[in-house]
């Protein structure tokens, strides 16, 4: 089975062709980062318009790169939600319309399911069951995963998502959008400076997260300290350590609660080196293993949507003819794939 995947939930137009026998045949990505940089964040209307401009040329490119004609495709998968409604509707309109015109089945994919399954694009793919830590710009959650569509959300952020906390803190530090990777780069130059940053919500039971207080703590620390490059790097490091440590404590708890020994991390923040290293070390000491996607598939991409869509199309699931986007969509309401 061969599927065209379309991702347009936020500020990246990602297109890919995935074949369940041959693997990933092509993927293309256009990032709108430069477009939104002047505004310090994603402007939804500009995002939608840019997806409209880029989507068809990128689909042509991905099909060409995959040496795939319309007749070779067995279905089309597009991100149906969660995300920005205007951006989602561009992918949904194009995906659903192509499927209608080409007489193929279409499937609307849950963006976070795409992230969650992205490590399965790698040679060293995790087997079920596992615990997944999903950390993106819009969501942070811990999920018990017993199969495709068999998800139990164990905990999630009560305020900012982990990526959002990185981005907002980076902005406080005067770093450009998107701040997460820039803050991580600055943190790499930081020295341990004796700051005592909080590890929010780790002093009580439960698997929920809260990151907005850390952002305020960082703002207060910046205001109280000298304004030089090394101090800023030290503060960035202390912030990053606090986020990573908090995530690691919650992962350890979730593994204990489920009795599972495989951990998957996915979503934009899973590209973070300190997070990967910390969790790899922790899983080593627990006698388990951590799995994550290659760097370019941590952040938004079409490959994860093609892969997730293929699993569902293969199980006979598909959309009706209506074009739908779903800006809010709880992950644990998805139907299971037997
Ligand atoms: O999954 P993603 O591409 O988009 C959403 O679905 O939200 O995640 C983007 C988020 C942004 O907040 C970005 O700053 C963060 O992931 N991010 C990072 C790193 N790379 C991306 N955060 C920390 N360290 C990184 N290396
Ligand atoms: Zn995402």
């Amino acid at each position: 089975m061969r599927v065209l995947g379309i991702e347009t939930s936020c500020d990246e137009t990602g297109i890919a062709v995935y074949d369940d026998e041959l693997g990933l045949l092509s993927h293309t990505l256009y990032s709108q980062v430069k477009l939104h940089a002047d505004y310090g964040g994603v402007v939804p209307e500009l995002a939608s318009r840019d997806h409209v401009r880029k989507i068809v040329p990128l689909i042509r490119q991905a099909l060409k790169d995959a040496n795939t004609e319309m007749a070779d495709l067995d279905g089309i998968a597009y991100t149906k939600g969660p995300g920005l409604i205007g951006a989602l509707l561009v992918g949904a309109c194009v995906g659903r319309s192509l499927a209608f015109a080409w007489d193929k089945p279409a499937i609307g994919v849950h963006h976070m399911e795409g992230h969650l399954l992205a490590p399965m694009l790698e040679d060293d793919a995790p087997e079920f069951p596992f615990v997944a830590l999903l950390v993106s710009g819009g969501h942070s959650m811990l999920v018990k995963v017993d199969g495709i569509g068999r998800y139990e959300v164990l905990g999630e952020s009560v305020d900012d998502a982990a990526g959002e906390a990185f981005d907002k803190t980076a902005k406080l530090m005067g770093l450009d959008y998107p701040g997460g990777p820039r803050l991580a780069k600055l943190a790499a130059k930081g020295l341990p400076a004796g700051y005592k940053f909080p590890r929010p919500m780790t002093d009580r039971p439960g698997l929920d997260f809260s990151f907005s207080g850390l952002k305020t703590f960082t703002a207060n620390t910046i205001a109280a300290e000298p304004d030089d490059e090394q101090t800023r790097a030290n503060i960035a490091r202390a912030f990053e350590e606090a986020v990573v440590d908090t995530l690691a404590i919650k992962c350890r708890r979730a593994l204990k609660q489920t009795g599972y020994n495989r951990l998957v991390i996915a979503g934009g923040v899973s590209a973070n080196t300190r997070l990967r290293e910390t969790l790899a070390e922790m899983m080593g000491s627990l006698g388990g293993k951590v799995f994550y996607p290659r760097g370019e598939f941590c952040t938004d991409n079409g490959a994860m949507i093609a892969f997730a869509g293929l699993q569902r199309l293969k199980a006979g699931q598909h959309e009706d003819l209506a074009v739908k986007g779903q800006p809010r969509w709880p992950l644990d309401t998805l139907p299971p794939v037997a």
Side-chain angles (χ1 to χ4, degrees), residues 111 115 136 300:
H111 181 78
H115 277 305
S136 72
D300 293 347

Side-chain angles (χ1 to χ4, degrees), residues 254-275:
L255 290 160
K256 195 166 173 206
Q257 187 175 313
T258 54
Y260 296 169
N261 67 355
R262 281 183 287 264
L263 177 68
V264 157
I265 52 170
V269 182
S270 67
N272 185 276
T273 308
R274 190 183 302 275
L275 180 66

Side-chain angles (χ1 to χ4, degrees), residues 7 9-10 12 111-112 115 136-138 267-268 298-301 304:
E7 155 63 32
S9 68
C10 190
E12 256 116 21
H111 181 78
M112 297 313 289
H115 277 305
S136 72
C298 288
T299 44
D300 293 347
N301 64 86
M304 67 185 195

